[in-house]
Amino acid sequence: MQVFRLYFKLLNRSLPTIVIYIIVFLVIVVGSSLNAKQNNEKMFKESKVDIAFINYDKNSAFIDGLKDYLGSRCNFKEIEDSKEAIQDALFFRNVSYIVTIPKDFTERFFDGEEVKVQKLSVPESTDSVFIDMAINNYFDKVKLYINHSQSLSEDEIVKSVMKDLSSEVEVEFYSKTAKEEDSSFLINYYNYIVYAMLSTLILGIGAIMISFTELDIRRRNIVTPLSITSFNLQQILGNITFTLGLDVILILFGFFLNGKVLVSQKSLLFILNAVIFSIVSLSIAYLVGILVKSREASNGVANVIGMGSCFISGVFVPKELLGENVLNIAKFTPAYWYTTTNEAVGKLTNHTLENYTGIFQNMLIQFGFAISFFAIALVISKKKSVEVI
């Protein structure tokens, strides 16, 4: 096993650079995962909106009730009652919404007339929708009591409406997949493996292949007692060992970061997809090792392929933000099909053979890339072997 031992002696030379790439990968993953976790943990919470309330009507229980109801959802700001002051308040975002109650509004409203409050808001503001819903909700409840409880006074109607509006209902969402784990961490983590796999394997295997494929070294190996078949088998065994070792390290890192998530049915599919992609990365690294002639060139290729694949395949930039032309180009890269598989696995709700069909098809496409790269590498290697003689 001389070649096998030599393989890992050569790998040790590239170990510092490989470790740097793995550390960069971990920093990116941890930062992304923590950010995703914070976003997932954020629950909807009503935030109070700054508004101004201008009343030209007389003081009444109806208007006071509206103001009290809005006060539970808004912060009232005092502004000068002039056109210029109102425009300035909206322009400088001192308030997001200004509601003006016109004269005789209460009387006309209780008489059944179609009356409206005057509203001004910041253009295209979501806050305005929030306030509109609150105002309409209050008015609709009051109209309901006016139409069906004529015997009640204005004060009694307002008290009943405020009591109704203060009631809260607890809502629970139920689905058959309610207990399914949140896959956001798995998708993020395994997507970023694209960078670690490609960069690390190209650096490691590329550097080793460069050493083995130097013309003088190949000529010397030919005259040794070791057969070419044994030499190649030991080299292949070294490549497989290095690749599987990297798989184990990256999977264990993911387990360390979030073990509860990784122990799941989906995680097995993510791991299987990662192992398949590592085979693709191995084929790319093998091809690069045959083509390039220096370690400096190998480092450059590792950066270009690793970073380039991440940018166009949906790792660093979500696919939703990429143009159609970019995605069409990305389909010619195995990283695209790898990340697409991860996203499909993350969306799984029912683990049936029908749902697995598209996932397994994407994995087969990745295998096709691996076979193609290996085939090209063997053809080039065969041509280069002629130069040895």
Side-chain angles (χ1 to χ4, degrees):
M1 301 291 286
Q2 301 96 321
V3 177
F4 185 77
R5 290 194 296 270
L6 176 61
Y7 182 99
F8 286 97
K9 286 182 180 179
L10 294 172
L11 184 62
N12 285 334
R13 296 181 181 178
S14 302
L15 196 58
T17 308
I18 291 173
V19 170
I20 290 174
Y21 273 89
I22 293 178
I23 291 174
V24 171
F25 159 74
L26 289 176
V27 170
I28 294 173
V29 167
V30 171
S32 174
S33 300
L34 290 176
N35 183 53
K37 185 177 181 180
Q38 290 174 356
N39 291 336
N40 289 334
E41 289 178 349
K42 287 181 180 177
M43 301 297 291
F44 173 78
K45 183 185 292 184
E46 288 188 1
S47 58
K48 289 195 172 184
V49 182
D50 293 334
I51 72 169
F53 193 92
I54 301 174
N55 182 23
Y56 291 134
D57 195 13
K58 62 182 180 180
N59 291 327
S60 63
F62 175 60
I63 299 301
D64 291 340
L66 173 62
K67 193 169 183 179
D68 289 342
Y69 179 57
L70 291 179
S72 63
R73 290 159 172 75
C74 308
N75 295 318
F76 291 110
K77 300 288 185 179
E78 295 292 335
I79 62 172
E80 184 182 341
D81 185 9
S82 65
K83 182 178 180 181
E84 184 178 352
I86 290 174
Q87 291 176 341
D88 288 343
L90 290 174
F91 179 80
F92 293 107
R93 302 301 191 267
N94 294 329
V95 294
S96 299
Y97 195 98
I98 299 174
V99 55
T100 303
I101 308 297
K103 187 177 180 180
D104 299 328
F105 182 82
T106 302
E107 182 179 351
R108 295 171 63 191
F109 187 92
F110 275 80
D111 287 342
E113 295 184 28
E114 288 293 331
V115 289
K116 294 181 180 181
V117 297
Q118 298 172 8
K119 299 175 289 186
L120 291 173
S121 63
V122 175
E124 300 181 1
S125 171
T126 55
D127 294 337
S128 63
V129 178
F130 174 70
I131 304 300
D132 285 342
M133 291 175 60
I135 293 174
N136 292 334
N137 191 27
Y138 178 80
F139 287 162
D140 290 342
K141 294 288 191 301
V142 173
K143 282 183 180 179
L144 187 64
Y145 275 96
I146 293 174
N147 295 333
H148 299 281
S149 302
Q150 289 85 357
S151 60
L152 295 179
S153 65
E154 179 183 335
D155 289 342
E156 291 173 331
I157 289 176
V158 171
K159 287 180 181 179
S160 299
V161 169
M162 296 301 291
K163 182 178 179 180
D164 294 340
L165 293 174
S166 63
S167 302
E168 294 183 354
V169 178
E170 185 176 349
V171 179
E172 293 183 0
F173 292 94
Y174 172 79
S175 69
K176 293 181 180 180
T177 58
K179 294 184 179 179
E180 285 287 336
E181 71 280 0
D182 179 16
S183 300
S184 58
F185 172 81
L186 288 167
I187 295 173
N188 284 333
Y189 183 82
Y190 279 98
N191 276 355
Y192 280 111
I193 278 180
V194 170
Y195 176 76
M197 285 284 189
L198 286 173
S199 301
T200 303
L201 289 178
I202 290 174
L203 281 172
I205 295 176
I208 294 168
M209 292 299 300
I210 289 169
S211 299
F212 281 139
T213 55
E214 288 182 6
L215 186 58
D216 291 338
I217 293 176
R218 294 186 67 179
R219 284 173 175 171
R220 187 181 65 182
N221 290 336
I222 290 176
V223 299
T224 60
L226 186 67
S227 66
I228 297 297
T229 301
S230 177
F231 180 91
N232 289 335
L233 287 176
Q234 291 185 49
Q235 189 181 41
I236 292 171
L237 180 61
N239 288 335
I240 293 174
T241 303
F242 176 39
T243 303
L244 292 179
L246 182 62
D247 285 336
V248 172
I249 291 171
L250 294 177
I251 291 170
L252 288 178
F253 271 138
F255 185 83
F256 174 77
L257 292 174
N258 198 337
K260 291 182 180 180
V261 173
L262 287 172
V263 183
S264 64
Q265 188 172 356
K266 284 183 179 181
S267 66
L268 297 177
L269 290 172
F270 281 107
I271 291 172
L272 175 60
N273 193 37
V275 172
I276 292 173
F277 186 75
S278 69
I279 297 173
V280 180
S281 301
L282 170 59
S283 67
I284 295 173
Y286 188 75
L287 176 60
V288 170
I290 292 176
L291 289 174
V292 300
K293 297 181 179 180
S294 66
R295 287 184 174 83
E296 291 75 16
S298 178
N299 292 343
V301 172
N303 284 323
V304 171
I305 295 179
M307 298 290 286
S309 297
C310 288
F311 275 110
I312 69 174
S313 63
V315 178
F316 291 160
V317 181
K319 288 189 177 73
E320 294 78 11
L321 302 180
L322 297 174
E324 185 178 353
N325 293 333
V326 175
L327 291 176
N328 289 333
I329 295 173
K331 290 177 182 179
F332 290 94
T333 67
Y336 172 86
W337 300 101
Y338 171 76
T339 56
T340 301
T341 305
N342 284 339
E343 291 164 3
V345 172
K347 294 176 182 177
L348 272 179
T349 54
N350 295 316
H351 297 271
T352 62
L353 183 61
E354 182 180 357
N355 291 335
Y356 285 170
T357 301
I359 292 172
F360 290 143
Q361 286 177 349
N362 291 342
M363 291 181 180
L364 286 175
I365 292 174
Q366 294 179 66
F367 263 124
F369 276 104
I371 294 171
S372 300
F373 289 131
F374 274 126
I376 295 172
L378 290 175
V379 171
I380 296 174
S381 178
K382 184 67 174 178
K383 290 183 177 180
K384 281 193 173 185
S385 63
V386 179
E387 300 175 1
V388 180
I389 305 173

